[in-house]
Amino acid sequence: MSRRSLFLLAATLVVLHFTIIVFMLSPLHGSRRTFYTSGYHHRYSMRGAPSVAWCKDLHFKPPGPVVALISHPGSGNTWLRYLLQQVTGVMTGSIYMDYGLRTHGFPAENVTDGTVLVVKTHEAPPVDSDKFQAAVLLIRHPKDAILAEYNRLHKGHIGTAPKSAFKRKSHEHRMTDWVKFVSYQLTAWESLHELWLTRFPGRILVVLYDTLVRDTGPSLQRILDFLNHTVTKDDMSCALANREGIYRRRKKLQDFDPFTADMYQALDRAHGRVRDLVANYSRKHNLTQTRLENVAPLK
Ligand SMILES: *[C@@H]1O[C@H](CO)[C@@H](O)[C@H](O)[C@H]1NC(C)=O
Ligand SMILES: *[C@@H]1O[C@H](CO)[C@@H](O)[C@H](O)[C@H]1NC(C)=O
Ligand SMILES: *[C@@H]1O[C@H](CO)[C@@H](O)[C@H](O)[C@H]1NC(C)=O
Ligand SMILES: *[C@@H]1O[C@H](CO)[C@@H](O)[C@H](O)[C@H]1NC(C)=O
């Protein structure tokens, strides 16, 4: 082999080596193919993961009351944060530090003060009651939330779990991992809503995930009114034109239903109890007709 071809071979190997390292360091390399692209313009960053095209540059706001954005995992928290950032340009915070989210559109992860619009949490109301002055409670039917969360644990923020993941058993157990997961998650789902609706001293705005999907504009406006944040018509149009974002899981038609009849019964009963809690909350706080409309159609 000539000296020249040896040199070319060595150079190729070096380039290949670095390409592999860069690929492995990229946190989203496994799920790139599944990015949801419809109606949405990506700018590709150097590592190939899309960065979000914002309606306006994200910024902090002047300090104000700290508002929690509460939800059970899998209830659309990230999507609502995305919509709020699109329509206001103000960053949303979180009590967590999700490095993936931080590098892909949510730079204020781990910011929990009044300089962000809302602060994401999946936890019960803090004992230190001064931490949050008000709260937005995002409620999704536990069936959909639990399935979305199971998908997230298996495939990241935007994929779906394979069928086999619903049959798997950790060997010493009689029940499948999925059955245990549903039972555990449902208990957590109900207690999260119950604790906030009965123990939190501040004002709570209930937002139903299904309503947010169906009537995105009016739902967003109601949240902005609650936050005392004014936006222009153009801000709203831009946010709605970009409503899909990159973090919504592509809905895949599954050829089987992972929920059993017993699960359906338990899910619906828990959902009914939370619907009653919401109705009681609205009654107790004399919520206006609009608000009641917002909470009434929990189905
Ligand atoms: C989160 O913020 C707190 C206080 O601002 C800081 O002490 C902590 O190191 C941060 N956590 C991470 C993981 O960056
Ligand atoms: C919005 O304004 C009202 C009336 O001034 C106030 O009571 C409420 O605390 C404010 N809410 C937030 C989240 O700032
Ligand atoms: C709602 O309030 C009614 C009447 O006060 C009470 O009987 C019922 O138990 C409450 N529901 C829940 C789920 O707390
Ligand atoms: C709700 O309205 C009733 C009667 O109009 C009043 O007695 C009560 O104090 C009000 N409660 C709140 C929390 O505003």
Side-chain angles (χ1 to χ4, degrees):
M1 219 183 275
S2 75
R3 205 175 254 207
R4 193 180 137 83
S5 39
L6 264 179
F7 174 77
L8 279 177
L9 181 67
T12 311
L13 284 175
V14 167
V15 169
L16 194 65
H17 184 71
F18 277 101
T19 310
I20 290 171
I21 289 178
V22 167
F23 180 73
M24 287 174 54
L25 287 177
S26 161
L28 292 168
H29 71 264
S31 41
R32 235 169 78 198
R33 264 168 295 125
T34 57
F35 270 118
Y36 197 36
T37 55
S38 110
Y40 177 76
H41 303 285
H42 292 149
R43 292 195 300 255
Y44 282 86
S45 70
M46 272 171 50
R47 291 192 312 197
S51 60
V52 180
W54 295 107
C55 293
K56 40 177 122 181
D57 286 338
L58 295 183
H59 51 85
F60 289 104
K61 69 175 183 63
V66 185
V67 183
L69 171 57
I70 314 145
S71 70
H72 185 78
S75 302
N77 193 302
T78 307
W79 184 48
L80 179 50
R81 287 177 69 190
Y82 166 85
L83 289 171
L84 287 170
Q85 291 190 165
Q86 282 291 22
V87 73
T88 64
V90 177
M91 288 180 240
T92 61
S94 172
I95 68 162
Y96 311 105
M97 171 58 107
D98 182 325
Y99 290 95
L101 290 180
R102 189 176 63 161
T103 44
H104 296 284
F106 300 90
E109 283 293 292
N110 192 39
V111 176
T112 61
D113 61 22
T115 64
V116 288
L117 203 59
V118 291
V119 176
K120 162 187 171 175
T121 175
H122 298 314
E123 316 291 323
V127 183
D128 165 17
S129 61
D130 283 352
K131 191 162 170 49
F132 298 115
Q133 278 80 58
V136 174
L137 177 58
L138 177 60
I139 305 182
R140 189 177 190 184
H141 194 293
K143 168 181 173 285
D144 302 324
I146 291 171
L147 184 56
E149 178 62 0
Y150 201 68
N151 281 328
R152 189 187 69 81
L153 292 173
H154 284 82
K155 275 292 162 93
H157 276 283
I158 43 190
T160 41
K163 198 168 168 174
S164 60
F166 295 93
K167 313 265 179 227
R168 191 175 308 146
K169 263 183 212 181
S170 314
H171 41 89
E172 74 275 24
H173 290 284
R174 212 162 35 85
M175 286 182 288
T176 60
D177 294 353
W178 166 243
V179 171
K180 277 182 292 178
F181 184 81
V182 171
S183 144
Y184 173 78
Q185 288 283 310
L186 185 55
T187 308
W189 183 89
E190 185 170 350
S191 97
L192 177 80
H193 296 94
E194 185 186 345
L195 288 170
W196 280 95
L197 287 166
T198 58
R199 304 261 174 96
F200 182 62
R203 293 199 313 143
I204 299 176
L205 176 72
V206 171
V207 176
L208 304 181
Y209 176 83
D210 290 343
T211 310
L212 183 63
V213 171
R214 201 179 47 236
D215 293 321
T216 309
S219 291
L220 267 185
Q221 189 55 58
R222 201 153 39 221
I223 299 168
L224 295 169
D225 292 346
F226 180 77
L227 298 172
N228 300 325
H229 195 102
T230 318
V231 301
T232 65
K233 263 200 175 117
D234 286 349
D235 294 335
M236 186 57 87
S237 317
C238 181
L240 294 179
N242 290 290
R243 71 196 288 281
E244 300 299 350
I246 61 171
Y247 283 103
R248 284 187 76 194
R249 218 173 299 279
R250 187 200 292 273
K251 260 211 174 123
K252 274 226 186 101
L253 278 181
Q254 272 163 334
D255 55 352
F256 77 109
D257 183 352
F259 296 99
T260 64
D262 281 353
M263 285 176 181
Y264 272 114
Q265 229 176 42
L267 291 159
D268 285 339
R269 272 202 302 261
H271 189 239
R273 286 190 296 269
V274 166
R275 182 187 46 212
D276 291 348
L277 282 170
V278 171
N280 282 5
Y281 179 88
S282 313
R283 241 194 324 271
K284 189 169 149 205
H285 294 266
N286 291 344
L287 293 188
T288 61
Q289 207 49 43
T290 3
R291 290 255 169 70
L292 267 175
E293 246 171 45
N294 184 25
V295 300
L298 251 181
K299 33 175 199 16

